[in-house]
Amino acid sequence: MTANPVCLVIPPSEFLLDERVFMPLGILRVASVLEGDTHVEMADLSGIENYLDAIKDHARASSASVFGLTATTPQLPAATRVAKVIRSVRPDARIILGGPHITLVNAALKGEQKRGIESGRAGNAMGSLSGLFDCLVAGDGEIAIRLALDVGSEKLIDADNPSSPLFLGSQDLNRLPLPARHLVDVGSYHYAIEGERAMSLIAQLGCPFQCGFC
């Protein structure tokens, strides 16, 4: 076990009618990996109206030296506000961003670089995120998180390259622990199938859908 605990943060999804339907399994999988090394705190801000006050109080009281956030694109405004609040009360802490938004920004930046575009939308977005966070993790976070915890790591950790050892394969999906659902209030989530309480799961790598919001 490492000495310093890690706090993982689920930002609110203010664009949803009910924020507590599907718990975000990506960051819970990262949490389950980290639990083998250190104590993990989970700050689930889904559906919390005064979430900035909540994270400010939590950050002040926490002994965590690292705060890791996940964010889809619609969550990014809230995630940046959360990061700024953490920074204001814990300037000593390392703040990491992972999740779908930074993964898509990184992929778009690669496309711009291939086309020789300088100062494009993706490049500008990457620059803004680099200024807000100490480390950015694009792609799979389960293995990459250990690199992200290192203060000497690169600003951007690209785990979205299939040739990288950080890129998950089917064997990794079977080998790694299940999402750490015990770190969130499962009973407060309202997902049901035909009237029966249910939970989502990850049964494959990648996504078969093409949702524009992700």
Side-chain angles (χ1 to χ4, degrees), residues 28-134:
L28 293 180
R29 283 178 57 88
V30 171
S32 67
V33 170
L34 284 177
E35 282 191 312
D37 300 327
T38 188
H39 173 69
V40 179
E41 303 170 356
M42 183 66 67
D44 185 0
L45 304 178
S46 302
I48 305 299
E49 186 174 349
N50 62 332
Y51 67 91
L52 293 179
D53 292 331
I55 194 61
K56 180 182 290 187
D57 291 343
H58 184 88
R60 280 175 174 160
S62 175
S63 59
S65 60
V66 179
F67 291 79
L69 287 75
T70 184
T72 62
T73 297
Q75 285 178 309
L76 188 66
T80 57
R81 289 191 287 269
V82 167
K84 289 176 180 178
V85 166
I86 294 172
R87 185 80 70 195
S88 70
V89 296
R90 290 292 308 279
D92 60 309
R94 181 171 176 80
I95 306 179
I96 301 168
L97 177 68
H101 181 76
I102 181 57
T103 301
L104 293 178
V105 168
N106 183 54
L109 179 59
K110 291 177 183 177
E112 288 183 350
Q113 291 171 341
K114 286 182 179 179
R115 299 192 300 273
I117 298 174
E118 297 182 5
S119 300
R121 289 179 62 187
N124 292 334
M126 183 66 77
S128 296
L129 293 172
S130 296
L132 284 169
F133 297 92
D134 297 302

Side-chain angles (χ1 to χ4, degrees), residues 153-195:
S153 68
E154 299 288 336
K155 171 71 77 167
L156 172 66
I157 298 175
D158 187 358
D160 196 35
N161 183 346
S163 64
S164 168
L166 305 177
F167 191 89
L168 296 189
S170 297
Q171 291 182 341
D172 297 309
L173 182 64
N174 295 327
R175 173 181 59 84
L176 292 170
L178 294 172
R181 291 184 174 90
H182 58 278
L183 294 180
V184 297
D185 182 5
V186 174
S188 68
Y189 282 80
H190 312 133
Y191 184 45
I193 298 176
E194 296 184 352

